[in-house]
Amino acid sequence: MSSMRGLVQFIADLRNARARELEEKRINKEMANIRQKFKDSNLSGYQKKKYVCKLLYIYILGWNIDFGHLEALNLIASNKFSEKQIGYLAISLLLNENHDLINLVLNSIRKDLNDPNELYNCLALHAIANVGGKEMAEALSSDVHRLLVSPVSKPVVKKKAALTLLRLYRKYQHSVHEEWADRIVSILSDPDLGVVTSVASLVLALAQDKPDLYKQGYGRAVFRLKAILLDHQIHPDYLYYKVPNPWLQVKLMRLLQYYPASDDPDVAVGLVDVLQFILVAAAEPSRNVQQSNAQNAVLFEAINLAIHIDVSASLMDRIVSKLGVFISSRETNLRYLGLDAMAHLAARTEDLSPIRAHQSTILNSLRDRDISVRRKGLDLLYSMCGYQNAATIVAELLKYLEVADYAIREDMVIKIAILTEKHAMEYKWYIDTILKLISVAGEYVSDEVWQRAVQIVINNEELQPYAAHTLLQYLKGPTYYEAMVKIGGYVLGEFGHLIADTQGCTPIEQFLALQDKFPSCSAFTKALLLSTYIKFVNLFPEIKHQLTQVFQSYSQSLDSELQQRACEYLILASLPSDDLLRTVCDEMPPFPERTSALLSRIHEKQGKGEDRRTWFIGGKAGATDTEALIEGF
């Protein structure tokens, strides 16, 4: 049977190869014919258009096109719309922002941007948006802006101009000048909702980078929302399954989140009225999936805005109640959005008790079948954790870590390490939890985790004996991870003498526990352990012979770093006087207080989306926590 399938596959491959060969012959023949036709200077516009279309079809099939570009440029200069349209289509497909012919097409595009015919304007704007690039932005952004703000431009041109300017801004930020801000924001009051929707996308992107320049948009956005929802000033064409222009609502509410609450009482009251209206409208049952999706999109953006401006307690209670329903929903999207909004609330509010009332449901989200929901559940647990529930949450996270997806393990390890450090009430719990984390996560433990644990042990004297004793017990076990060897080597080298008189922790037992793991470690860890051994020479002279044997065996290592360390340590251990050895191996001083590298890793993961976050995962102080986190010790 397998041989028959192989024969069938072989025959199919032969047929495909034959078909490809025939296609290539036909393509080469057609391209040769087109090349010959282009040499004829008497071609009509229709013929040029026909042959350029053939080239585009060949290009779309996947064949390389190395001629015909100039003919496409000539079509752009034509006065006939059908020819100009094909020319712009060819330019959009065949050119990119770094193409050599970009300079040749700029004048033709500028001419069409300045043409009174809106169809020509639209074709030129399409080409700019498709090709883009710094060179095109520098040359044409002013013309695009002129079309956007011109009182004589048609709505269709304004919409395309706004989106084209957005495209240029994303490619090259200097394409939008600061002095344009007031004119751009003023278009948010345009009577055409399509224009407002397009400009809202542009203002949203600009306000993220330069909020002060576009702060006038706050009041305009509120009054536009009020006009749409409360005053019903909306054309029926913009009703999406009875939801008034949900895309514009979402964009305007997201724009408002980049600014603090307004001091203007009319604006503030109007915004609260809008939010209350949205919450009431969301309670109405939806008739189909499309209406439900539109309602939920608007509702969740309204919830995020309400959290951002810190609305009244009664309104916030309604929001928390709705979120509690959403995170228990059978729909994956609602669970995801509910957890995300609740994490936003946890990052803003002082009182986390309403969120902690749903702790069991949030913990269950770690076992959701959708990994995106599990990620959001992890973010929320990280944000809602405090001294009261830290032990429970960290224990559940450690339990889940053993079966968690590989894609989120590293993120879980960092968050567990931060929570353990931040909310530790006693040093024993901290050490036990961090070492359990390292033993469970293993290779997913980044260097920042074990290095931060070493800093904390060195800076807290009462931690040192217990940390050294506990680490030694882990190192004596049959299974281990390299991160455990690194932290064990560092801590025992500094504080092994504090437990040397304890049963089972003698100097030779400490050495053998580390040496047993030595052969299978990486070169970096071996170098660290050699430094530990020279400290053992200073602390435990009774095992000096065994330690110098290790130095001798690695003094001829092929690894230059290990060889250099072994040779230097061997000489240092062989000196007749111990004075230099004591100086070199003096105890490490406490580390200066500084921002945890783990917090930096968490914050690096934020703001990666197209629309920048206005809050940080990690609770009220998540964005500004730069102090030493161990306060309970």
Side-chain angles (χ1 to χ4, degrees):
M1 181 64 72
S2 61
S3 60
M4 180 62 71
R5 283 198 298 267
L7 179 60
V8 171
Q9 183 64 43
F10 176 71
I11 294 173
D13 290 343
L14 281 179
R15 288 176 176 173
N16 291 336
R18 178 61 177 167
R20 183 69 175 177
E21 183 180 350
L22 293 173
E23 181 183 349
E24 185 174 1
K25 287 183 178 178
R26 176 65 187 273
I27 292 294
N28 289 336
K29 181 179 178 181
E30 190 64 34
M31 290 180 65
N33 178 55
I34 296 173
R35 194 188 299 269
Q36 186 64 35
K37 293 292 184 180
F38 280 160
K39 291 180 180 179
D40 184 0
S41 58
N42 295 322
L43 281 180
S44 65
Y46 171 78
Q47 290 174 314
K48 287 182 181 179
K49 181 178 68 171
K50 180 178 71 172
Y51 292 125
V52 168
C53 283
K54 287 187 175 183
L55 286 179
L56 291 180
Y57 182 69
I58 293 171
Y59 177 78
I60 292 172
L61 289 178
W63 300 93
N64 290 327
I65 301 297
D66 56 0
F67 69 98
H69 300 76
L70 293 178
E71 283 70 19
L73 294 179
N74 291 335
L75 287 177
I76 291 178
S78 172
N79 291 323
K80 291 185 178 180
F81 174 79
S82 60
E83 296 175 8
K84 189 182 289 289
Q85 184 182 33
I86 296 300
Y88 273 117
L89 177 61
I91 291 302
S92 299
L93 285 173
L94 301 179
L95 301 190
N96 59 56
E97 60 184 271
N98 299 316
H99 201 281
D100 295 335
L101 295 179
I102 285 293
N103 284 327
L104 298 180
V105 78
L106 290 179
N107 286 333
S108 296
I109 294 178
R110 181 180 289 109
K111 179 182 177 182
D112 287 332
L113 289 176
N114 295 325
D115 197 285
N117 188 331
E118 67 269 15
L119 294 179
Y120 293 177
N121 298 158
C122 292
L123 289 175
L125 291 170
H126 285 168
I128 297 171
N130 281 319
V131 179
K134 178 181 177 181
E135 192 170 354
M136 193 168 279
E138 290 177 336
L140 301 174
S141 61
S142 296
D143 297 291
V144 176
H145 172 258
R146 180 187 53 76
L147 283 177
L148 174 62
V149 301
S150 173
V152 298
S153 293
K154 299 288 181 65
V156 64
V157 175
K158 287 188 175 183
K159 288 189 287 187
K160 294 180 185 299
L163 297 178
T164 302
L165 202 57
L166 173 60
R167 165 72 169 166
L168 293 177
Y169 178 75
R170 287 174 176 167
K171 298 288 287 185
Y172 180 63
Q173 291 196 353
H174 296 291
S175 60
V176 179
H177 301 168
E178 293 185 358
E179 57 268 22
W180 297 351
D182 292 342
R183 296 290 301 275
I184 292 175
V185 168
S186 67
I187 307 176
L188 289 175
S189 300
D190 194 277
D192 189 287
L193 284 181
V195 173
V196 176
T197 304
S198 298
V199 172
S201 299
L202 175 61
V203 174
L204 182 60
L206 296 170
Q208 293 177 47
D209 297 321
K210 301 172 183 176
D212 290 340
L213 290 176
Y214 297 90
K215 60 185 177 182
Q216 305 97 320
Y218 191 97
R220 292 179 184 270
V222 172
F223 288 123
R224 175 61 79 173
L225 285 170
K226 189 177 178 182
I228 293 173
L229 296 174
L230 303 182
D231 301 335
H232 306 292
Q233 296 178 9
I234 184 168
H235 193 276
D237 289 346
Y238 289 96
L239 285 175
Y240 180 78
Y241 291 91
K242 297 188 177 181
V243 180
N245 202 339
W247 298 276
L248 179 58
Q249 289 189 59
V250 168
K251 289 174 183 177
L252 292 179
M253 286 190 285
R254 191 166 296 172
L255 172 63
L256 296 177
Q257 293 175 54
Y258 291 101
Y259 298 94
S262 176
D263 295 329
D264 187 333
D266 293 336
V267 174
V269 171
L271 183 54
V272 171
D273 291 341
V274 166
L275 294 175
Q276 288 178 335
F277 179 88
I278 293 174
L279 290 176
V280 171
E284 299 177 1
S286 56
R287 296 183 178 181
N288 49 53
V289 175
Q290 291 85 351
Q291 184 179 5
S292 175
N293 288 340
Q295 285 180 338
N296 289 331
V298 173
L299 174 61
F300 279 105
E301 207 59 54
I303 288 174
N304 283 322
L305 178 56
I307 294 170
H308 175 77
I309 64 174
D310 195 16
V311 294
S312 63
S314 60
L315 189 57
M316 192 59 70
D317 289 342
R318 291 169 59 189
I319 288 173
V320 173
S321 176
K322 281 186 174 293
L323 292 178
V325 174
F326 286 137
I327 64 174
S328 304
S329 172
R330 297 179 61 182
E331 293 186 35
T332 302
N333 288 339
L334 291 182
R335 293 197 302 275
Y336 174 89
L337 293 171
L339 291 168
D340 184 61
M342 205 170 267
H344 185 189
L345 178 60
R348 292 281 185 181
T349 186
E350 297 282 358
D351 182 14
L352 294 173
S353 55
I355 300 175
R356 288 172 182 160
H358 303 281
Q359 182 169 306
S360 59
T361 305
I362 298 168
L363 287 170
N364 288 335
S365 68
L366 292 176
R367 292 163 179 81
D368 194 277
R369 63 181 178 274
D370 191 291
I371 188 172
S372 61
V373 174
R374 296 196 290 272
R375 287 183 186 276
K376 284 301 171 185
L378 175 62
D379 289 343
L380 179 52
L381 288 169
Y382 175 73
S383 296
M384 63 184 279
C385 189
Y387 290 110
Q388 303 91 333
N389 59 354
T392 303
I393 288 179
V394 170
E396 286 292 330
L397 290 176
L398 283 172
K399 187 187 300 183
Y400 172 64
L401 182 60
E402 299 179 10
V403 295
D405 296 82
Y406 297 127
I408 65 173
R409 283 195 180 184
E410 186 176 357
D411 193 30
M412 284 192 70
V413 169
I414 294 173
K415 286 184 167 71
I416 292 172
I418 293 176
L419 293 178
T420 304
E421 178 184 349
K422 191 174 183 180
H423 302 298
M425 297 299 291
E426 56 180 14
Y427 65 85
K428 181 179 178 181
W429 179 79
Y430 171 77
I431 289 296
D432 290 342
T433 304
I434 285 293
L435 297 185
K436 175 70 179 299
L437 172 64
I438 294 174
S439 67
V440 170
E443 60 191 29
Y444 294 94
V445 177
S446 61
D447 288 341
E448 291 93 341
V449 174
W450 73 265
Q451 288 169 359
R452 183 62 178 171
V454 166
Q455 291 177 24
I456 291 169
V457 170
I458 289 177
N459 287 11
N460 295 269
E461 290 187 13
E462 55 269 45
L463 273 173
Q464 295 162 3
Y466 184 78
H469 183 273
T470 308
L471 275 163
L472 182 57
Q473 304 313 309
Y474 272 100
L475 291 173
K476 286 182 176 181
T479 59
Y480 75 98
Y481 288 106
E482 198 157 320
M484 189 71 75
V485 180
K486 291 176 183 177
I487 188 174
Y490 204 113
V491 171
L492 290 177
E494 292 293 333
F495 310 113
H497 63 284
L498 299 177
I499 59 171
D501 296 332
T502 305
Q503 185 177 1
C505 302
T506 60
I508 190 63
E509 288 177 299
Q510 294 183 38
F511 167 70
L512 291 176
L514 292 173
Q515 187 61 20
D516 183 51
K517 311 295 188 290
F518 194 100
S520 57
C521 291
S522 65
F524 176 85
T525 306
K526 286 179 179 178
L528 187 150
L529 291 180
L530 288 177
S531 299
T532 299
Y533 291 167
I534 193 61
K535 292 189 175 185
F536 278 179
V537 171
N538 180 49
L539 295 173
F540 311 126
E542 61 269 29
I543 60 170
K544 181 177 179 179
H545 176 68
Q546 292 92 328
L547 296 167
T548 53
Q549 284 183 334
V550 177
F551 296 147
Q552 288 172 349
S553 64
Y554 279 88
S555 62
Q556 298 180 8
S557 171
L558 295 178
D559 188 289
S560 59
E561 175 68 20
L562 294 179
Q563 183 187 102
Q564 181 175 348
R565 289 198 185 209
C567 291
E568 291 176 354
Y569 292 159
L570 182 60
I571 294 173
L572 194 60
S574 304
L575 293 175
S577 173
D578 293 338
D579 293 341
L580 180 59
L581 179 64
R582 292 194 189 95
T583 302
V584 172
C585 299
D586 196 14
E587 187 174 307
M588 278 285 293
F591 285 90
E593 296 297 340
R594 58 188 178 188
T595 305
S596 171
L598 298 177
L599 284 175
S600 301
R601 284 285 299 276
I602 289 289
H603 293 164
E604 281 175 6
K605 296 176 181 289
Q606 310 309 315
K608 302 255 181 172
E610 195 168 281
D611 288 338
R612 198 170 301 149
R613 276 190 185 273
T614 58
W615 53 279
F616 288 87
I617 295 171
K620 186 75 172 177
T624 57
D625 194 358
T626 57
E627 61 190 58
L629 295 178
I630 297 292
E631 296 176 352
F633 292 162

